[in-house]
Amino acid sequence: MWYTFTAISWQQVEGVVPGVSETPKDGDLIEIFFLGFQHWAVCVGHGYVVHVVPSGQFAGAGVSGLKCAFAKTAMVKKELLSEVAGKHRYRVNNKHDDKYKPRPPNTIVQLAMEKVGKEVPYSLIFKNCEHFVNELRYGVSRSDQVFQVPAHLTQVRCS
């Protein structure tokens, strides 16, 4: 289901979306839809999420633009989902629960909170926001957005 956030309650916006949890809980992954890409965060309770923001960016700016592609570091932030998503659509999407065993919710939240305020390595292809949340939930760093990039765009050729 698609959700919108009002104060600290979740509300259904649209119909059912396959593979998506119906009620957000601590440790759930939140997929936010920006133009041309998704941003990912992890729910830590009371309307807050933890996510990475590439250096030189802030959540309200949409976590996008040229700076995002070239950033080498990111800041881990705890912010209200309503501020991170703005007017963009988002949903709970624990899409790899069938492939990987999720950590217990309290462990996910604890790991996320330990990272808040820290600067971490960032790479649009190898260490982005989706890698970050999957590492927290499953202990596996992966990004399906990157898997969708044609292989020739991710290879570096030295002459």
Side-chain angles (χ1 to χ4, degrees):
M1 295 184 174
W2 295 98
Y3 293 88
T4 186
F5 188 76
T6 307
I8 58 170
S9 65
W10 295 86
Q11 299 174 336
Q12 180 179 343
V13 177
E14 296 180 9
V16 174
V17 176
V20 178
S21 129
E22 295 195 20
T23 306
K25 299 179 250 353
D26 289 0
D28 279 343
L29 302 186
I30 309 294
E31 181 180 21
I32 306 165
F33 296 87
F34 290 105
L35 184 60
F37 71 100
Q38 292 82 37
H39 182 61
W40 290 82
V42 63
C43 182
V44 294
H46 305 289
Y48 283 89
V49 295
V50 170
H51 66 125
V52 294
V53 178
S55 297
Q57 300 263 318
F58 58 95
V63 198
S64 62
L66 199 54
K67 286 184 181 180
C68 184
F70 295 106
K72 300 234 185 294
T73 61
M75 185 61 68
V76 179
K77 295 188 175 188
K78 176 186 173 187
E79 298 180 285
L80 285 170
L81 176 57
S82 59
E83 292 175 12
V84 176
K87 295 184 183 221
H88 298 278
R89 294 182 310 158
Y90 58 87
R91 65 179 177 171
V92 172
N93 188 354
N94 300 316
K95 64 184 175 179
H96 296 302
D97 282 6
D98 61 335
K99 293 180 187 111
Y100 308 110
K101 181 179 179 184
R103 292 176 165 146
N106 61 325
T107 301
I108 298 167
V109 170
Q110 179 183 352
L111 290 170
M113 295 303 294
E114 288 171 0
K115 295 181 182 298
V116 170
K118 294 184 179 171
E119 191 171 61
V120 296
Y122 180 86
S123 162
L124 186 61
I125 295 174
F126 301 109
K127 202 94 169 139
N128 64 37
C129 59
E130 191 175 3
H131 290 99
F132 177 78
V133 299
N134 280 315
E135 176 69 34
L136 291 171
R137 184 168 177 87
Y138 307 109
V140 176
S141 178
R142 69 172 287 163
S143 172
D144 293 339
Q145 294 180 97
V146 172
F147 290 139
Q148 294 170 7
V149 174
H152 71 278
L153 295 178
T154 62
Q155 295 174 353
V156 176
R157 177 181 252 163
C158 298
S159 306

